[in-house]
Amino acid sequence: MQVPMRMEGFEHLVHKAATEIQAEIIQLIQSSRSGAGKVSVPPEWQDQTETVEVFKLQSSSQEWTVVSSKFSATMPHAKITKILRIQNQWLWEKYVQEKSRINQKNDGGVNEMELFHGTRTNTPEKIYNSEEGFDMRYSSQGMWGMANYFAVNASYSAMYAYASISQLGGSSRKKIFLAKVLTGDSYECAPDKTLRMPPQKLGGSTSSEVQLKQVHYDSVNGYTRGSQVYMTYSNNRAYPAYLISYV
């Protein structure tokens, strides 16, 4: 004679286990979503609580030495008074995404450079505190058309530096950016004020990842006033990394 056995609490244990598994799955999904779109930031960046924060470099730091050396190479008589590291998470994420696209398009040829930029009468704060960063819509008609202009030599960008008058003594304090710029496959040419974008490349894309019949160079470059200059026609291809103040 077989006696039927009843496992008291079995249904309760199954329900509990299913609930725990479901909770773990939801937690994994939420964790994945919260990390979506997050990108790695430069190793020198400090912790921040706001989307945009600036940090003053110490003159004794290696970071100061690297930035100031680039500046002083063509501005030996200028005295740097302050260097700010710009940490704009919004702009950096856009920049990294653009870098990835150029990487795919060129099979790795992003050609990232550190170049100088002067803002003329536009306050630098409006650039690094914005959602767009360098915005060529506010650029004047330049030698290579309407674009964002960047220079290898600080001496070139100093001609377009933002100047503010100090209330102490009335001396002029100037500011220029040291930016990270994605020059990619750059097209060198003589000045052409009609340019609205880099010229089209013959033969289309040669990338193993991206097959397009019509593609353009990523930037334009040329030589003027003692410096090689690079022009980008997309705002996402440059990031305002440092703001240098000097007299």
Side-chain angles (χ1 to χ4, degrees):
M1 178 178 178
Q2 293 183 345
V3 179
M5 299 180 62
R6 184 178 181 184
M7 299 180 66
E8 296 289 346
F10 180 73
E11 293 182 358
H12 170 71
L13 291 174
V14 171
H15 178 72
K16 180 181 179 182
T19 301
E20 291 176 350
I21 292 173
Q22 185 179 23
E24 289 181 5
I25 292 174
I26 293 174
Q27 185 176 4
L28 287 172
I29 293 174
Q30 290 176 339
S31 176
S32 175
R33 286 177 177 174
S34 65
K38 297 293 183 181
V39 297
S40 298
V41 299
E44 64 271 13
W45 277 27
Q46 297 169 247
D47 292 338
Q48 60 190 104
T49 57
E50 303 293 332
T51 302
V52 182
E53 292 189 24
V54 297
F55 294 88
K56 183 179 178 180
L57 301 190
Q58 298 297 317
S59 59
S60 58
S61 69
Q62 179 63 23
E63 193 175 2
W64 171 288
T65 300
V66 171
V67 175
S68 63
S69 295
K70 292 179 182 294
F71 175 85
S72 299
T74 57
M75 293 287 289
H77 302 298
K79 179 183 178 181
I80 297 176
T81 58
K82 182 169 58 177
I83 300 177
L84 296 178
R85 184 198 313 119
I86 312 302
Q87 295 186 190
N88 184 321
Q89 295 173 333
W90 176 270
L91 290 180
W92 179 254
E93 184 171 329
K94 292 171 65 177
Y95 177 78
V96 171
Q97 290 171 350
E98 184 70 9
K99 185 176 182 178
S100 177
R101 292 173 66 87
I102 294 178
N103 182 69
Q104 292 178 357
K105 174 187 169 185
N106 297 340
D107 274 338
V110 296
N111 293 327
E112 184 178 51
M113 303 180 70
E114 290 187 326
L115 304 172
F116 295 97
H117 177 85
T119 65
R120 294 193 185 224
T121 58
N122 296 319
T123 58
E125 290 75 15
K126 288 184 178 180
I127 293 175
Y128 71 69
N129 263 319
S130 71
E131 63 175 335
E132 204 64 38
F134 297 114
D135 193 341
M136 64 182 185
R137 292 174 297 181
Y138 295 100
S139 300
S140 59
Q141 185 74 12
M143 296 173 64
W144 283 269
M146 189 171 290
N148 289 319
Y149 285 67
F150 302 93
V152 171
N153 296 339
S155 56
Y156 176 89
S157 296
M159 292 185 284
Y160 306 97
Y162 175 79
S164 60
I165 304 300
S166 172
Q167 294 181 355
L168 299 176
S171 60
S172 176
R173 297 180 181 273
K174 297 181 179 180
K175 300 177 182 180
I176 62 173
F177 281 109
L178 179 62
K180 293 183 179 294
V181 184
L182 303 171
T183 63
D185 190 358
S186 189
Y187 181 81
E188 185 173 5
C189 66
D192 183 354
K193 292 185 177 181
T194 67
L195 287 175
R196 292 294 180 272
M197 65 178 66
Q200 186 173 323
K201 298 172 69 172
L202 297 177
S205 174
T206 59
S207 170
S208 59
E209 294 188 51
V210 180
Q211 295 79 40
L212 296 170
K213 292 184 179 180
Q214 293 188 16
V215 294
H216 292 257
Y217 287 92
D218 302 304
S219 65
V220 169
N221 74 88
Y223 190 84
T224 181
R225 296 190 179 185
S227 179
Q228 197 72 17
V229 293
Y230 287 81
M231 284 61 65
T232 62
Y233 300 80
S234 171
N235 295 334
N236 296 338
R237 293 184 181 176
Y239 176 81
Y242 298 96
L243 182 62
I244 304 170
S245 299
Y246 64 97
V247 292

